[in-house]
Amino acid sequence: AVESTQSSGSSGINAEYGEIRAAYKPWHVVAGICMVTFAACTMTTGVQEKYGFTNPTKYSSEAFAYNFLGLSIFLWVATIIWIMIAVEKHEPEDEPYGEMGEDREQGDKED
């Protein structure tokens, strides 16, 4: 395996790193989701502490502001998690130019 990697040059090494990266991608995504969730929990705990110490009346504008901030944090986290799970990274194609590249090469040969 070592000889085939050395004989194929850097492309073999890049292929091995690509396989390793692909294997660790799910763990990387889960770790990112956990970090975002923990950050949101920390922010929400801070808002709750601030709300507890200010002790606003039940329907005051300050109480609505704290509730709005809490809901905003929740929606931000939900959006970030949705983006991390739902959006797939598009891998580049083997031929970077596709059909246009072929036309470009033919035009260069005519000159």
Side-chain angles (χ1 to χ4, degrees):
V2 175
E3 293 175 9
S4 64
T5 303
Q6 291 176 351
S7 65
S8 63
S10 63
S11 63
I13 293 172
N14 289 338
E16 290 177 15
Y17 286 138
E19 292 172 6
I20 293 171
R21 290 178 67 186
Y24 281 108
K25 182 181 178 183
W27 291 99
H28 186 83
V29 170
V30 169
I33 289 172
C34 287
M35 282 188 259
V36 168
T37 305
F38 293 149
C41 290
T42 302
M43 289 186 282
T44 307
T45 302
V47 169
Q48 180 184 5
E49 288 290 320
K50 179 68 175 168
Y51 179 79
F53 286 124
T54 58
N55 199 13
T57 59
K58 190 172 183 179
Y59 293 109
S60 69
S61 61
E62 195 173 354
F64 283 113
Y66 283 117
N67 287 330
F68 178 76
L69 183 58
L71 288 173
S72 298
I73 291 170
F74 174 75
L75 291 175
W76 174 75
V77 169
T79 303
I80 296 298
I81 290 175
W82 178 76
I83 289 171
M84 292 173 80
I85 292 173
V87 176
E88 295 180 12
K89 180 180 175 189
H90 297 285
E91 297 293 330
E93 298 176 8
D94 291 336
E95 298 178 18
Y97 296 109
E99 294 176 9
M100 290 178 58
E102 295 170 3
D103 295 339
R104 187 177 298 166
E105 289 174 4
Q106 290 174 359
D108 291 341
K109 291 178 183 177
E110 293 174 2
D111 291 335

